Amino acid sequence: MKIHEYQARQLLREYGAPVSEDAVVTAAQEAGEAAARFGPCVVKAQIHSGGRGKAGGVRPAKSPREAREAAQALLGARLVTAQTGPAGRLVRRLLVTGAVKVEKEYYLSVVMDGARACPVIVASAEGGTEIEETAREHPERIAQIPVSPTEGFKRYEGLRAAHLLGLTGGSAEELVGLLEAMVRLFLEKDCSLVEINPLALTADGRLECLDAKITFDDNALFRHPEIARLRDPDEEDPKERRAAEYGLSYISLDGDIGCLVNGAGLAMATMDIIRHFGGSPANFLDVGGGATAEKVKAAFEILLSDGGVRAIFVNIFGGIMQCDVIAEGVAAAAAELGVSVPLVVRLEGTNAEKGKEILARSGLAVIPAADMADGARRAVEAAAQTERRAGSR
Ligand code: GDP
Ligand code: MN
């Protein structure tokens, strides 16, 4: 689960990190009032996305009037960043922070490293909005320090990070304190990422967190009701939200072939084989093992509600999951909503024949597939045809 910058800043502050005063506002007038309190300030769009600076979502303001103008321009606008996709995100809230005089910007994070099976401190002296480029072109300029999940943070790890960043004396001590806080927060709240980019060395020699991003492990949220309350449904994909209500594993992607599959392994293989035939999946959707027809129906409805879908590929290998249950769910959803894109179906395994009969009786125009590769190829072709037809209209 993601949270907003203002919420991440508040958590970091509670853990003792150097985060300056700020104000969350929803009206231009309030931004002006905050600026009157803080003096020179920065007005920042609160959306679940990075890359706001480059997209005009982070605006310095020298006076209350400038803060009001920045707020006016941002509130209610859709901000398109490198991370939001072309539709962008509606800006409903702004954060006003006192402007910090920056001497140098660093990158600092604690992230779960699956390969090492432990949290890792990631630090770079080249922080700020160009960190992605540094990661691509000079990965050696980004240091990684593994942390023991059972023993927690050690002072010498912090001193090593300080050395790598070129921080000495008082600032090195400040960094050690900040890292200690970040690791404690990471472990206590079951985070998957605690990121500060940039961490600023200020003109008067202090460290200051200018931006904060925290994500949490969804599987541990039940242990942290106070964190679960920070969820902002406005920032979530409505399709993913609906899928979660039904206990479906669903992730939106930006391709055009909607996939309904049982089992995560088969779902990944399906995405791979679609790519192999030159297509692009619109989603990852695993209905799981013991899904009911009702759950399958909800899954199919989610696929139909995706405007970017040009073909649907139902790829089922029935084991515990029975093909007739899948067919019933698909037929029920199709009867209710209608299917306007080609539907390729591969049913194999338990009750496959029964499933095919149900689909045949439903009157749905199904493109049957002999096997998984055949189905993927047909789905890719069908999507391309839909695309051409849409283009020629
Ligand atoms: P992001 O682009 O979404 O990561 O948003 P950030 O919060 O990181 O802001 C973008 C950039 O604005 C930062 O990398 C900083 O360079 C700059 N910035 C943000 N706040 C301040 C500030 O108080 N003072 C100065 N000088 N720069 C700031
Ligand atoms: Mn940032």
Side-chain angles (χ1 to χ4, degrees), residues 2-346:
K2 294 181 182 176
I3 58 173
H4 285 289
E5 177 195 7
Y6 74 89
Q7 297 165 322
R9 285 169 67 100
Q10 180 55 30
L11 267 170
L12 280 162
R13 205 179 274 130
E14 286 165 19
Y15 275 78
V19 178
S20 65
E21 238 193 322
D22 57 31
V24 179
V25 303
T26 52
Q29 182 58 31
E30 293 168 12
E33 286 161 16
R37 275 208 314 283
F38 299 151
C41 62
V42 182
V43 179
K44 312 178 78 174
Q46 296 298 288
I47 55 172
H48 282 191
S49 167
R52 296 164 303 166
K54 285 186 173 173
V58 175
R59 305 192 178 197
K62 286 196 209 68
S63 64
R65 186 176 56 83
E66 283 184 19
R68 275 198 308 275
E69 285 167 4
Q72 202 99 54
L74 287 170
L75 281 170
R78 294 195 79 90
L79 192 63
V80 180
T81 76
Q83 299 175 12
T84 57
R89 297 261 169 149
L90 181 63
V91 180
R92 303 163 199 266
R93 257 185 233 103
L94 302 172
L95 182 71
V96 182
T97 66
V100 172
K101 285 213 178 66
V102 178
E103 189 73 27
K104 184 158 172 46
E105 296 187 342
Y106 302 91
Y107 175 93
L108 201 59
S109 68
V110 180
V111 62
M112 190 56 88
D113 182 332
R116 289 190 180 98
C118 68
V120 173
I121 294 169
V122 181
S124 176
E126 296 182 18
T129 53
E130 304 299 333
I131 188 70
E132 278 88 3
E133 204 183 314
T134 303
R136 256 196 323 273
E137 291 172 14
H138 296 287
E140 77 284 357
R141 293 183 193 166
I142 299 178
Q144 300 191 10
I145 305 171
V147 176
S148 162
T150 48
E151 291 169 28
F153 174 76
K154 303 271 178 26
R155 188 179 148 76
Y156 62 79
E157 292 162 344
L159 288 171
R160 188 161 154 241
H163 176 71
L164 291 166
L165 296 183
L167 292 171
T168 54
S171 337
E173 285 304 325
E174 277 185 65
L175 186 81
V176 173
L178 171 56
L179 279 172
E180 187 275 329
M182 287 168 73
V183 171
R184 198 155 43 83
L185 166 62
F186 184 95
L187 293 173
E188 284 179 6
K189 302 291 186 189
D190 291 303
C191 302
S192 41
L193 173 73
V194 176
E195 182 187 76
I196 296 168
N197 184 39
L199 170 68
L201 179 62
T202 64
D204 53 354
R206 291 175 306 106
L207 292 181
E208 176 92 34
C209 304
L210 288 195
D211 186 13
K213 176 177 176 181
I214 302 181
T215 61
F216 301 90
D217 181 346
D218 288 338
N219 295 314
L221 274 179
F222 74 97
R223 298 206 287 208
H224 309 289
E226 79 291 358
I227 299 292
R229 272 198 293 276
L230 302 180
R231 164 164 268 144
D232 181 355
D234 286 339
E235 290 287 330
E236 293 174 355
D237 182 330
K239 296 192 290 298
E240 289 183 10
R241 205 163 61 219
R242 206 171 136 67
E245 281 165 23
Y246 279 90
L248 298 160
S249 285
Y250 174 89
I251 292 163
S252 245
L253 303 169
D254 45 20
D256 59 2
I257 300 177
C259 307
L260 190 150
V261 179
N262 66 316
L266 184 59
M268 284 190 276
T270 304
M271 298 198 300
D272 283 348
I273 202 160
I274 284 173
R275 285 244 178 252
H276 174 76
F277 286 111
S280 162
N283 66 286
F284 172 104
L285 171 54
D286 169 16
V287 297
T292 57
E294 196 206 352
K295 194 162 150 177
V296 174
K297 179 172 175 244
F300 201 69
E301 280 169 5
I302 290 167
L303 292 187
L304 290 175
S305 72
D306 184 338
V309 165
R310 301 267 177 269
I312 293 177
F313 182 23
V314 175
N315 185 18
I316 300 297
F317 191 91
I320 298 168
M321 185 77 237
Q322 298 174 359
C323 291
D324 55 323
V325 174
I326 295 280
E328 265 175 42
V330 168
E336 209 169 289
L337 301 166
V339 185
S340 57
V341 294
L343 171 62
V344 179
V345 179
R346 176 249 184 167

